[in-house]
Amino acid sequence: MLYPERLHQFTKEHADAVAALVCGLFLFCGWFALHLGFLGWALLLLPIAYVIGGYESAREGLTTLIKEKELDVDLLMIVAALGAAGLGLWRREYYLIIDGAILILIFAISGALEGYAMQRTERSIRSLMSLTQDTARVVRRGKEELIPIKQLQVGDEIIVKPGELIPTDAVIVEGYSTLNQAAITGESLPVEKTVGDEVFAGTLNGYGALKLKLHQPPESSLIQRVIRLVQQAQTETPPSQQFIERFERGYARVIVIAGVLLLILPPFLWNWDWETAIYRALTFLVVASPCALMAAIMPTLLSGIANGARQGILFKNGAQLEMIGKVRAIAFDKTGTLTTGLLEVCEVIPTSEYTKDDVLKAAAAVESRSEHPLGQAIVKAATNLDWQAATEVQAFPGQGIVGMVDDQEVLAGKDDFVKKYVANLPKNLIEIAKNLELQGKTVVWIAEKRWGGGEIGRWGGGEIGRWGERFHPTILLPQHQVLGIIAIADTVRSQAAETISRLKKLGIEQIVMLTGDNQQTAESVARELGVDRVYAELLPEDKLHVIRRLQQEYKTVAMVGDGINDSPALAQASVGIAMGTAGSDVALETADIVLMADRLEKIEAAIRLGKRTQAIVKQNITIALGFIILLLIGNFLGEINLPIGVVGHEGSTVLVTLSGLRLLKN
């Protein structure tokens, strides 16, 4: 048995369905009473069905008429139903009252079904909000305590136990675990995280306990940005829907005028009786209403946005979901987009006297004292080797670095820098280095200065030797030797080449790469990936100009980037796409679409989703217009009555709504 409060909650959540159910119950009772000849009971029960089923539509219709001075489809339905009832009372053909009640009932059922359909879409979107925690377990004064998320401060240390949700974006300071990031980034497999890695609010911790340090305010977390953007997408109306709404306002006036003409002219032109003219005019109001046309777009777009969010593709509004399906050219930023943006050691080439490990250990020893990205890449590559940090380190900005390792001086830097210490660089390494640089890689030379060799002694002018001769003490001269070279590069994303290939198969006419790097490096990456056109050595404003030129040539152009310097181009592009995890806040705010997992293959998924959305919207519009035309023809030919017209009209509305919900499936 339902308690009163539960009953109240149930009726509140399912108000439209309850109203339709009660309306149907009174309609059935009224029809049954009329069938048994109890006219009084029928005339009492049927108006109740009208009021219960049509109250909400009448209220909305009158509100729109009074406040906005616009005719609403809901009001047209009520007018048609009341007209049928009035005609039935006038002619004493009481089945027409039943027809009007059936119209209201079907309209109420349709509204309830549309409401449930839209709730399903909204639930898919709002499921993001369920990922947010209300509290976090914080270590303060040596004790753990639960505090509200909004009270967290930058620098707080947070404890996350196995199986718990990460409460806010933070950096791991202690512990190791795997995190399920599927809800945020769309990645299907858990991701390993350890000290120094960033974790995101709403991701699920695996088997390891973690201690996190808050490095930004909770409201700046990735999930909170996503929620704000999704809410924005729900409230913004795309151009196609705006057009349909403008069309609907004008179309409603046309329907009313046409309905009046259909009421007045046929009795004079075709000798219809007035009852027939009134009935056909009322049926016309029903079948000509553009409900299905109004439902052809927004349910589809919202379903597409929800689908994208589940895949880690965040569309900021429906307009961009439509636009991405029309893209003909795509411009990619290089660093951080087509490449990882992280420098890595890709080759170690020693001289014949040394091994690769010798070269890496010597380089890591001095570079461990450097904050230069090249040095950090070398240290990372030597993580599993046994070496000790250099002492007496001296850096020469833009040139190299020198330090003492086991009483030996070690050099790392450019060839010109090493030449100051080594008379002749090995010719074979010089050739290899040139080839590596042609491939866009940075070459670091490693050399070591050993003490030994040289003259044993010199006669004359020194101390008195054993036999009385003047003899200098032994002089050990320093000898410099090149250990080898290390090639470092910003590595290309593993999926970049395949993504570009698939985009071309999908019909993208031009793939362009934009970068501030030198032409040689850019062309090397472009050849590896199969990019059609390269623009190198660009400033942010240069990227903007390139996008404008591409738009003149291809009209609809997408730009994919991650950095602050990409923001002007992202804003100018027809569709701006930002890399979510690696992207700067400015890029994320400027872009129209955000790839939450930094996975380039999601661009193809976004374009496919956009094309599929376009196709479904066109199908829905065709279905809606087709039903209207068929019902209008049937009405003029006298082949349909009011209930059949209602079934056809409302059925087409429900059909296109359900058609749009197909996008909820991957």
Side-chain angles (χ1 to χ4, degrees):
M1 180 177 178
L2 289 172
Y3 294 105
E5 60 271 16
R6 291 186 180 178
L7 180 61
H8 174 73
Q9 182 66 25
F10 178 83
T11 54
K12 183 178 179 181
E13 291 177 358
H14 306 277
D16 291 342
V18 170
L21 181 64
V22 175
C23 173
L25 180 63
F26 276 95
L27 170 58
F28 174 77
C29 293
W31 168 82
F32 192 64
L34 190 62
H35 182 71
L36 295 177
F38 299 126
L39 181 61
W41 277 104
L43 294 180
L44 175 65
L45 295 170
L46 289 174
I48 296 175
Y50 273 69
V51 172
I52 293 174
Y55 171 77
E56 192 63 29
S57 294
R59 186 184 65 81
E60 291 180 5
L62 289 172
T63 300
T64 303
L65 181 65
I66 295 169
K67 290 187 176 181
E68 301 179 20
K69 304 295 187 293
E70 296 288 350
L71 287 169
D72 188 85
V73 172
D74 295 307
L75 189 59
L76 293 181
M77 294 297 102
I78 298 300
V79 169
L82 292 176
L87 185 61
L89 289 172
W90 177 26
R91 296 177 60 176
R92 296 188 179 181
E93 296 177 358
Y94 300 111
Y95 71 87
L96 292 177
I97 304 177
I98 301 292
D99 285 355
I102 291 174
L103 187 159
I104 287 179
L105 173 62
I106 296 176
F107 198 63
I109 293 172
S110 172
L113 290 175
E114 288 178 53
Y116 283 131
M118 293 308 296
Q119 284 174 19
R120 182 180 172 190
T121 301
E122 290 172 2
R123 278 199 303 271
S124 296
I125 294 175
R126 288 176 182 171
S127 62
L128 287 169
M129 301 179 193
S130 67
L131 300 173
T132 57
Q133 292 275 79
D134 295 325
T135 59
R137 187 179 291 102
V138 180
V139 178
R140 288 185 174 171
R141 294 178 294 277
K143 295 182 179 180
E144 292 184 14
E145 56 181 283
L146 281 176
I147 67 170
I149 294 291
K150 61 184 179 181
Q151 292 182 13
L152 288 173
Q153 298 177 354
V154 174
D156 278 346
E157 290 189 341
I158 303 167
I159 301 297
V160 180
K161 296 181 178 180
E164 292 184 341
L165 286 176
I166 303 296
T168 187
D169 289 12
V171 175
I172 298 176
V173 293
E174 186 179 311
Y176 170 86
S177 186
T178 57
L179 270 66
N180 186 337
Q181 301 186 150
I184 305 298
T185 66
E187 294 174 283
S188 57
L189 297 176
V191 179
E192 294 183 353
K193 298 281 186 176
T194 187
V195 175
D197 291 336
E198 185 177 12
V199 295
F200 304 112
T203 57
L204 183 64
N205 186 24
Y207 55 81
L210 298 174
K211 180 183 283 188
L212 313 176
K213 188 170 185 178
L214 190 63
H215 65 301
Q216 63 181 9
E219 61 270 18
S220 299
S221 68
L222 186 61
I223 185 65
Q224 292 298 333
R225 293 206 302 263
V226 169
I227 290 171
R228 286 196 295 270
L229 294 174
V230 168
Q231 290 173 330
Q232 176 185 329
Q234 287 183 282
T235 57
E236 290 185 358
T237 306
S240 57
Q241 183 67 20
Q242 291 174 6
F243 169 77
I244 289 292
E245 290 176 359
R246 289 195 302 270
F247 171 79
E248 186 253 351
R249 287 192 288 269
Y251 183 72
R253 297 191 191 97
V254 172
I255 289 175
V256 172
I257 294 170
V260 172
L261 293 176
L262 186 59
L263 173 67
I264 297 172
L265 295 181
F268 297 103
L269 297 179
W270 299 298
N271 294 320
W272 288 11
D273 59 76
W274 285 102
E275 290 84 354
T276 301
I278 293 171
Y279 192 77
R280 292 296 165 210
L282 293 174
T283 306
F284 171 81
L285 288 179
V286 173
V287 301
S289 296
C291 293
L293 202 58
M294 293 295 296
I297 296 176
M298 278 310 291
T300 305
L301 294 181
L302 288 176
S303 298
I305 290 171
N307 186 320
R310 286 206 309 268
Q311 297 187 66
I313 306 167
L314 178 61
F315 295 93
K316 292 189 178 179
N317 56 58
Q320 301 310 324
L321 178 57
E322 291 182 304
M323 188 65 70
I324 191 68
K326 303 175 184 177
V327 165
R328 295 174 55 198
I330 301 179
F332 288 91
D333 170 55
K334 182 182 79 69
T335 305
T337 303
L338 290 175
T339 65
T340 61
L342 302 173
L343 294 176
E344 291 185 7
V345 171
C346 49
E347 287 190 61
V348 179
I349 300 147
T351 56
S352 57
E353 296 89 353
Y354 299 94
T355 66
K356 291 183 179 181
D357 286 356
D358 292 334
V359 178
L360 267 179
K361 286 193 288 187
V366 290
E367 294 289 5
S368 62
R369 302 300 190 185
S370 169
E371 295 182 357
H372 195 282
L374 292 174
Q376 292 173 1
I378 290 172
V379 172
K380 182 179 178 182
T383 300
N384 297 324
L385 301 178
D386 184 20
W387 51 269
Q388 62 181 17
T391 58
E392 301 178 34
V393 176
Q394 185 177 7
F396 298 84
Q399 295 295 315
I401 191 168
V402 179
M404 298 299 295
V405 182
D406 292 333
D407 297 325
Q408 306 297 330
E409 191 176 61
V410 176
L411 322 168
K414 294 181 176 180
D415 54 354
D416 289 342
F417 175 73
V418 175
K419 280 179 185 177
K420 297 176 182 177
Y421 299 87
V422 180
N424 297 302
L425 300 181
K427 291 182 179 179
N428 66 318
L429 287 187
I430 292 174
E431 290 300 318
I432 293 172
K434 286 181 180 179
N435 290 330
L436 290 171
E437 288 170 347
L438 287 174
Q439 297 171 24
K441 298 170 182 174
T442 301
V443 176
V444 178
W445 289 76
I446 312 300
E448 189 176 63
K449 180 162 61 171
R450 291 183 177 275
W451 296 89
E455 300 179 18
I456 295 175
R458 267 204 314 251
W459 291 101
E463 298 176 3
I464 299 175
R466 184 175 182 183
W467 304 103
E469 302 92 343
R470 292 271 179 191
F471 184 76
H472 280 290
T474 302
I475 301 173
L476 298 177
L477 299 179
Q479 297 294 305
H480 297 80
Q481 283 185 304
V482 172
L483 306 186
I485 58 176
I486 299 175
I488 300 171
D490 178 7
T491 53
V492 172
R493 289 184 184 269
S494 57
Q495 71 273 28
E498 184 181 356
T499 296
I500 288 173
S501 175
R502 294 174 72 93
L503 288 174
K504 289 180 178 179
K505 291 177 182 177
L506 198 57
I508 303 301
E509 300 172 32
Q510 191 77 193
I511 303 291
V512 179
M513 186 173 77
L514 312 180
T515 180
D517 277 354
N518 62 73
Q519 190 74 32
Q520 185 173 285
T521 300
E523 288 180 353
S524 173
V525 174
R527 282 193 300 271
E528 183 178 350
L529 298 179
V531 172
D532 298 317
R533 204 184 300 180
V534 177
Y535 295 90
E537 301 176 20
L538 300 177
L539 296 173
E541 58 267 29
D542 298 327
K543 293 182 179 181
L544 174 66
H545 298 322
V546 171
I547 294 296
R548 285 176 176 166
R549 289 201 298 271
L550 289 172
Q551 286 176 320
Q552 292 174 358
E553 188 174 353
Y554 296 100
K555 304 301 180 187
T556 309
V557 177
M559 168 68 190
V560 187
D562 72 312
I564 293 175
N565 62 343
D566 298 322
S567 298
L570 288 171
Q572 175 62 38
S574 311
V575 182
I577 304 174
M579 308 294 280
T581 305
S584 68
D585 287 343
V586 176
L588 295 181
E589 293 298 325
T590 306
D592 305 300
I593 300 172
V594 179
L595 305 181
M596 304 307 298
D598 287 357
R599 292 171 59 186
L600 283 177
E601 65 267 28
K602 292 297 183 181
I603 296 175
E604 180 199 3
I607 293 174
R608 288 190 183 277
L609 188 58
K611 289 181 180 291
R612 191 174 166 212
T613 301
Q614 281 185 297
I616 291 177
V617 166
K618 290 175 182 177
Q619 291 168 13
N620 288 349
I621 291 174
T622 302
I623 291 170
L625 292 176
F627 265 87
I628 289 174
I629 292 170
L630 288 175
L631 291 171
L632 286 175
I633 293 173
N635 182 46
F636 279 114
L637 295 177
E639 298 297 326
I640 61 172
N641 57 23
L642 191 57
I644 293 176
V646 173
V647 170
H649 173 268
E650 297 303 319
S652 64
T653 304
V654 173
L655 183 62
V656 297
T657 302
L658 295 176
S659 173
L661 296 185
R662 287 183 288 161
L663 280 177
L664 288 176
K665 295 182 178 180
N666 290 332

